[in-house]
């Protein structure tokens, strides 16, 4: 159980988030979120998948495949435009 499994009210949650260091905040969601953004590779459209901290993970030809790949790795995909 992590601290986010506790049923916080909004005031307690806001107080908790204000206590996060910049390093803690940067790592927030690191293991749970991946970002998918459109890119161009060799003049062809593709989709780059990045960890929450911006680390590139992979590049795939189709958006649906990129989202499915993220979900298969137990993370939530988010689109970046």
């Amino acid at each position: 159980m992590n601290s986010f499994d506790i049923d916080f009210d909004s005031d307690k949650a806001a107080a908790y988030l204000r206590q996060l260091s910049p390093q803690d905040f940067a790592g927030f969601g690191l293991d749970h979120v991946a970002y998918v953004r459109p890119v161009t590779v060799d003049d062809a459209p593709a989709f780059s998948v990045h960890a929450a901290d911006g680390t590139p993970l992979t590049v795939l030809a189709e958006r649906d495949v990129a989202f499915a790949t993220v979900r298969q790795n137990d993370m939530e995909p988010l689109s970046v435009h």
Side-chain angles (χ1 to χ4, degrees), residues 3-71:
S3 59
F4 293 103
D5 293 330
I6 299 169
D7 187 25
F8 285 128
D9 66 30
S10 61
D11 291 334
K12 286 183 182 178
Y16 177 81
L17 291 173
R18 280 193 283 278
Q19 294 176 23
L20 292 176
S21 71
Q23 293 81 14
D24 290 337
F25 193 74
F28 190 69
L30 190 60
D31 296 334
H32 304 288
V33 175
Y35 297 95
V36 178
R37 62 182 284 246
V39 295
T40 302
V41 177
D42 296 329
D43 295 324
F47 294 87
S48 178
V49 178
H50 298 262
D53 67 354
T55 302
L57 301 174
T58 190
V59 176
L60 298 158
E62 298 178 24
R63 182 181 185 273
D64 292 345
V65 174
F67 271 63
T69 300
V70 170
R71 287 189 180 108

